[in-house]
Amino acid sequence: MTERRRAQGWFFLGILAVLIMGIPYILLGQDAIFVYHDQLDGEVIAYLLKARHLWDGSGILPEFMNGAAKTALTLPAPACVLLYRWLPAWAALACMQVIGSLTGYVGMFLLIRHVARSGERLSHRQGVTAFVAMAVGCLYAYLPFLPVYGLSQYGLPLLLYCVLRLGEADGNRKIYIAAWLYVIFFGVNSSLVLAGFAVLGIWALWEVITLLCRRFRTGQGIGWLLLLTVYLLENGALLQEIFGGVGAVSHKAEYSLAPVAFGGQLWTNLLQGGQHSVDYHRWILILAVCFVIVTGIRLGISAGDKKSVTGPEKALFLSCGGILLSAFAAAVWDSSIGVGIRSGLGALKGFQANRVLWLSPCLWYFALGCCLLMVAEELPGKQETAKSVRKWLAAGGMLLAVGVTLLTAAQVLPESNLKPNVQKMLRADYGAMSFRHYYAVGVLDQVQQYIRDNFAEEPENYRVVSLGIDPAAALYHGFYCLDGYSNNYDLAYKHRFREIIAPELDKSEYLTEQFDGWGNRCYLYSSECPGYYTVQKGGFYFQNYEINAQSLKELGGRYLLSAAYIDHCEDTGLKLIREDPFETEDSYYRIYLYRIMEK
């Protein structure tokens, strides 16, 4: 009973540590800080626009890229659109962060405790194993994943735990039902194209192996079918567009693919992980390699006796195998062989199968937990005295494992999403761009009201483009935009928009490659500040900016919102509406309003 209470105490202490993450968001509100790349500039806008048109039954988003199809914006966690329907966007995003981290903690805690129960010596040490589970679970919860992706990363440990419970021959019905419900919950709060395809693929491979080994469990099979069904229902329109030839040709058909060296990419995948899946696991890698070698030597001495393999050891080998498999698959996809295959896939060649690396963080931290459990197994109990060799091995393993855990924590915590918000609370002048700053709250409201008062035009009656300020800001405020950030829009629209920005593309090989070879950012590029989509107010101004105003007008454009003054704007077909820019005392932007001149 005492051990059980200790275990419960560690579990709830971890819950408290994760919930603390939400306090800064409550106190800061719109002044909270979120990563804006691939989050505020894209996914949040996808949630907002889908929430605005949730029940209208239309297949288009009228505000986005002159009325793009809804498949131009795919929600990473579809069920979370309800948060953006009911809450302010900053609060919805904060909820996604807390819910995601909390799910990650609970999942990792249960997963490690499940492995601990399989060890004969660990089953009586609930307090120790719960402390290990709490420590690793908190580290995983604080990893700086982007909350807009829902449970695509944070939810993986709990999904793996449910799969393991569904594989138990003696599992009771209540556990099966709870596991199936979480599988559905994971499906509606995660993305098929980001992580779901990898989960389905590896899970299917596991089911085939169990079938061949005559260990197939119906519960696991039903779980896989449930997840597949959820993903098909969520992504039906997108899949029909891709495989059924329905709708326009995607701009992905013009993606330019550049192969990378397989060996170097494999090493990078193992050391660093993939995009948006950085997990600071280098010390864990060293620890895992050491423990795998030591365990391999021990098994060699025992002549490979399978019965001598403990639960944590088996779990460590499986997690390391999964890591190697995902790193290998991602490297092949990006290599010359993968690029050669992808080049003939049309719009599918832009599919990022290297996102399989999103599974790696879960496996790395699971491996850390297994190593700590292996150390706990070797510790002598109260009534036993360890042999000198075993005692020294256990002591060395403990020092190494604890050291790696502390070094990893020293990397994770300063890089967590909590740190910048704590600094913002302590220093009002903290330099990172806040939610309010990024979306120009209080500034673009003035612009919209000025157009309404002076030209009697409502947002739905005109179209705008943005320069030096991300189009996401205008979309956030309800403007109808010609520009936007999408990974699946009409190729013909890309060509028409290119005519508008052609004068600037002609000045920069980098910008030409960015738009023609990629093109997800259908923006007004400028050769004077290539790659910068947020120009802070100050001394910068556009000295030689050119635009094809006639093409912009033909596409429906009437106003241009610029974060900097455009010198000689009349030469390019623009007219400054008001000499004084729109701004607030503490705004990040200063917005100049231009109108497309009549021919």
Side-chain angles (χ1 to χ4, degrees):
M1 184 62 69
T2 301
E3 285 290 310
R4 184 178 298 177
R5 287 178 179 175
R6 287 177 182 171
Q8 292 173 347
W10 287 124
F11 174 75
F12 287 110
L13 183 62
I15 291 286
L16 181 61
V18 175
L19 290 178
I20 287 174
M21 186 181 293
I23 295 176
Y25 295 119
I26 297 173
L27 297 178
L28 292 171
Q30 291 193 90
D31 292 316
I33 296 169
F34 300 94
V35 174
Y36 57 83
H37 176 62
D38 281 349
Q39 183 160 256
L40 299 187
D41 59 356
E43 308 297 2
V44 169
I45 295 303
Y47 285 115
L48 279 174
L49 294 181
K50 292 290 184 75
R52 290 174 188 170
H53 302 284
L54 189 58
W55 312 116
D56 62 8
S58 172
I60 65 170
L61 300 170
E63 303 98 322
F64 186 70
M65 295 179 71
N66 214 18
K70 285 185 175 180
T71 52
L73 295 176
T74 303
L75 298 180
C80 290
V81 71
L82 297 175
L83 293 175
Y84 292 81
R85 182 81 177 187
W86 299 330
L87 300 173
W90 68 266
L93 189 54
C95 284
M96 292 184 74
Q97 174 68 78
V98 175
I99 293 171
S101 294
L102 197 60
T103 304
Y105 167 76
V106 172
M108 190 61 72
F109 185 94
L110 293 176
L111 189 58
I112 293 175
R113 289 274 288 164
H114 180 73
V115 174
R117 291 190 183 95
S118 65
E120 182 179 346
R121 294 174 60 84
L122 292 175
S123 59
H124 303 295
R125 298 176 177 178
Q126 295 187 44
V128 173
T129 59
F131 175 76
V132 169
M134 182 274 292
V136 178
C138 283
L139 286 178
Y140 189 78
Y142 271 78
L143 286 175
F145 299 142
L146 298 186
V148 285
Y149 295 132
L151 300 184
S152 298
Q153 292 160 299
Y154 283 123
L156 291 173
L158 190 51
L159 180 66
L160 179 55
Y161 172 77
C162 289
V163 172
L164 293 176
R165 296 307 302 266
L166 288 171
E168 294 176 347
D170 57 345
N172 62 58
R173 184 176 299 178
K174 290 182 179 179
I175 291 177
Y176 278 11
I177 292 175
W180 288 330
L181 288 176
Y182 178 75
V183 169
I184 295 172
F185 184 72
F186 175 85
V188 298
N189 286 285
S190 63
S191 170
L192 170 64
V193 298
L194 295 177
F197 73 93
V199 171
L200 286 173
I202 293 176
W203 193 347
L205 179 62
W206 177 255
E207 293 303 307
V208 171
I209 293 173
T210 58
L211 186 63
L212 294 176
C213 296
R214 297 182 179 181
R215 295 180 180 176
F216 179 78
R217 297 288 181 257
T218 305
Q220 282 185 341
I222 293 174
W224 186 87
L225 289 174
L226 283 173
L227 185 59
L228 175 65
T229 302
V230 170
Y231 280 144
L232 290 177
L233 292 174
E234 287 175 350
N235 299 275
L238 179 63
L239 294 173
Q240 188 178 16
E241 182 179 298
I242 295 173
F243 298 106
V246 177
V249 177
S250 172
H251 82 288
K252 284 184 175 182
E254 289 187 343
Y255 265 15
S256 177
L257 303 176
V260 296
F262 171 79
Q265 191 60 42
L266 177 62
W267 188 242
T268 298
N269 293 345
L270 287 172
L271 289 181
Q272 300 178 11
Q275 184 186 29
H276 299 318
S277 62
V278 176
D279 52 17
Y280 309 99
H281 66 260
R282 289 198 179 191
W283 291 107
I284 302 176
L285 186 152
I286 295 172
L287 179 69
V289 169
C290 291
F291 275 62
V292 166
I293 292 174
V294 170
T295 303
I297 293 174
R298 185 183 67 76
L299 290 175
I301 295 174
S302 63
D305 181 12
K306 293 183 179 180
K307 293 182 179 179
S308 67
V309 181
T310 65
E313 289 172 342
K314 187 184 298 184
L316 176 63
F317 281 117
L318 288 175
S319 61
C320 289
I323 290 167
L324 287 171
L325 178 62
S326 61
F328 179 84
V332 169
W333 186 256
D334 291 328
S335 69
S336 56
I337 295 176
V339 168
I341 296 173
R342 294 161 62 189
S343 296
L345 298 179
L348 275 177
K349 69 181 180 180
F351 177 62
Q352 294 177 287
N354 52 13
R355 297 280 193 186
V356 68
L357 292 172
W358 279 29
L359 276 61
S360 296
C362 169
L363 297 176
W364 279 119
Y365 281 81
F366 181 42
L368 173 62
C370 292
C371 291
L372 291 170
L373 291 179
M374 289 165 64
V375 170
E377 273 187 319
E378 295 303 316
L379 295 177
K382 293 180 180 180
Q383 305 300 325
E384 58 183 329
T385 303
K387 296 180 181 180
S388 59
V389 174
R390 178 182 161 190
K391 181 171 64 177
W392 286 110
L393 284 174
M398 174 179 286
L399 287 175
L400 179 60
V402 172
V404 165
T405 304
L406 293 176
L407 287 170
T408 304
Q411 287 184 298
V412 170
L413 295 179
E415 298 296 332
S416 70
N417 296 328
L418 176 66
K419 180 190 173 184
N421 287 290
V422 171
Q423 290 181 313
K424 181 69 174 179
M425 290 171 59
L426 298 176
R427 290 174 44 204
D429 60 343
Y430 182 62
M433 191 185 300
S434 68
F435 186 95
R436 182 192 305 275
H437 286 156
Y438 190 83
Y439 288 125
V441 176
V443 180
L444 285 177
D445 309 86
Q446 297 178 37
V447 176
Q448 196 171 101
Q449 191 59 46
Y450 182 87
I451 295 174
R452 183 177 291 112
D453 293 342
N454 290 272
F455 301 101
E457 293 178 326
E458 294 298 325
E460 60 269 22
N461 298 325
Y462 58 87
R463 302 293 179 266
V464 305
V465 286
S466 301
L467 175 64
I469 176 173
D470 200 291
L475 289 164
Y476 177 84
H477 287 274
F479 284 96
Y480 283 58
C481 302
L482 299 179
D483 42 1
Y485 185 14
S486 168
N487 57 14
N488 181 42
Y489 64 96
D490 188 354
L491 179 62
Y493 188 84
K494 176 185 176 182
H495 292 166
R496 290 193 65 187
F497 197 88
R498 193 191 191 285
E499 296 175 7
I500 299 171
I501 59 177
E504 288 298 310
L505 295 184
D506 292 341
K507 301 175 187 177
S508 171
E509 183 178 345
Y510 167 77
L511 293 180
T512 300
E513 183 179 342
Q514 276 283 301
F515 188 77
D516 291 345
W518 185 55
N520 282 9
R521 294 190 186 274
C522 195
Y523 287 10
L524 293 187
Y525 291 101
S526 168
S527 60
E528 296 176 65
C529 54
Y532 289 89
Y533 314 117
T534 54
V535 177
Q536 188 174 8
K537 62 183 180 183
F540 176 84
Y541 68 98
F542 294 103
Q543 302 178 53
N544 187 32
Y545 182 74
E546 296 180 85
I547 193 173
N548 188 331
Q550 183 59 32
S551 294
L552 177 56
K553 184 179 177 182
E554 290 174 358
L555 197 58
R558 188 171 304 174
Y559 296 103
L560 187 151
L561 312 174
S562 177
Y565 179 79
I566 303 175
D567 200 12
H568 306 297
C569 63
E570 294 82 1
D571 297 341
T572 196
L574 302 174
K575 179 182 179 181
L576 182 63
I577 297 298
R578 196 178 84 163
E579 290 293 333
D580 295 330
F582 299 89
E583 61 180 319
T584 62
E585 184 178 349
D586 62 344
S587 64
Y588 182 89
Y589 299 107
R590 178 180 293 144
I591 304 298
Y592 292 86
L593 179 62
Y594 293 87
R595 190 177 178 112
I596 314 303
M597 294 174 61
E598 298 293 333
K599 196 170 182 181

